Amino acid sequence: MFIKVKNLKKSYGEKENRMVIINDINLNVEKGRICTILGPSGSGKSTLLNLIGGLEEPDSGSIEIDGIDITELNSKKLALFRRNKLGFVFQFYNLIPNLTVRENIEVCEYLSKDSLKVDELIGTLGLEDHQKKFPRQISGGQQQRTALARALSKNPALLLCDEPTGALDYKSSKELLALLEQINKKYNTTILIVTHNNAIANMSHQVINLRDGLVSENYVNEKPVQAA
Ligand code: ADP
Ligand code: ADP
């Protein structure tokens, strides 16, 4: 199993203001799957993704990724793990405004020996004609594809996406999903997507539903809808 989450708990605040966000979560994700985390706003989806991505520390429980329990790593080793194994894509693309598309993608490339060629990524993501432009000169969909290319530049084993289509229209969202499918097939990247969009869930291999800090549903999609 590629991701193994056991008895995960996370709360925020002190004493009477204490809010339990992740109540006791257990889940597994196999290598090479596209898995969607669904649930209403405030159900703890982003918190769960941030815990799995080692961006937040749980109160208790364990998170194993590719055989390593990241809750046991010290902060230095965790940072290295994140750098070598994980890619992140967020709703707002977090591009550097005064770097071109190509430079935004190249920013992380030195970090890993296993990096994919920038040209290959630019080709795969259809950014050839935009590589010399700045983020403000391209559409939202193109900015998100640039952010995706940057996240993929170190060939991460696990790609974590938080509402990656949240700021995109339907057509661009579908295009982004088609690209995620393509990347998943080509590089066997395991992909976790946080969304409240059911259409995206229908396109993924596994769906995890969160309700009040617990997994209310967890199923494998035998026949995911093709985004392409
Ligand atoms: P979702 O992604 O499902 O909308 P989140 O994981 O973002 O849910 O948030 C779940 C709850 O946790 C919300 O009520 C939110 O206000 C709270 N929360 C999230 N992050 C923090 C934080 N750093 N400090 C305090 N409360 C937080
Ligand atoms: P999306 O739905 O992907 O965000 P838009 O509707 O924003 O797409 O953009 C459609 C087209 O307009 C894109 O092909 C893009 O190249 C162009 N475009 C969008 N914003 C800008 C901009 N600020 N400057 C130049 N071209 C733009």
Side-chain angles (χ1 to χ4, degrees), residues 11-51:
S11 47
Y12 291 116
E14 300 292 327
K15 294 187 181 149
E16 62 272 17
N17 293 322
R18 197 166 173 85
M19 274 202 327
V20 178
I21 307 300
I22 300 295
N23 206 341
D24 185 8
I25 284 196
N26 291 281
L27 60 89
N28 290 330
V29 181
E30 270 177 37
K31 182 157 177 66
R33 275 213 176 128
I34 299 178
C35 175
T36 297
I37 300 170
L38 265 182
S41 178
S43 59
K45 301 184 297 295
S46 296
T47 303
L48 177 61
L49 196 80
N50 291 342
L51 288 164

Side-chain angles (χ1 to χ4, degrees), residues 79-99:
L80 208 64
F81 180 86
R82 272 202 308 265
R83 199 179 273 180
N84 291 329
K85 293 267 182 171
L86 309 182
F88 293 90
V89 177
F90 299 101
Q91 173 171 11
F92 303 105
Y93 324 112
N94 300 109
L95 299 176
I96 301 166
N98 54 353
L99 295 184

Side-chain angles (χ1 to χ4, degrees), residues 46-65:
S46 296
T47 303
L48 177 61
L49 196 80
N50 291 342
L51 288 164
I52 292 174
L55 298 171
E56 301 225 31
E57 211 180 324
D59 301 339
S60 58
S62 63
I63 303 165
E64 207 179 290
I65 301 171

Side-chain angles (χ1 to χ4, degrees), residues 160-214:
L160 301 159
C161 309
D162 194 349
E163 297 278 6
T165 64
L168 301 180
D169 59 22
Y170 180 72
K171 187 169 157 277
S172 304
S173 300
K174 245 185 127 194
E175 280 168 7
L176 187 75
L177 255 289
L179 282 169
L180 289 177
E181 276 175 4
Q182 202 183 321
I183 279 144
N184 166 259
K185 285 211 183 89
K186 196 166 174 185
Y187 305 115
N188 201 28
T189 314
T190 308
I191 304 179
L192 270 189
I193 307 172
V194 158
T195 183
H196 53 256
N197 186 337
N198 282 305
I200 291 178
N202 293 337
M203 294 174 202
S204 54
H205 306 133
Q206 181 180 354
V207 180
I208 292 168
N209 236 311
L210 288 193
R211 234 6 92 89
D212 302 324
L214 291 166

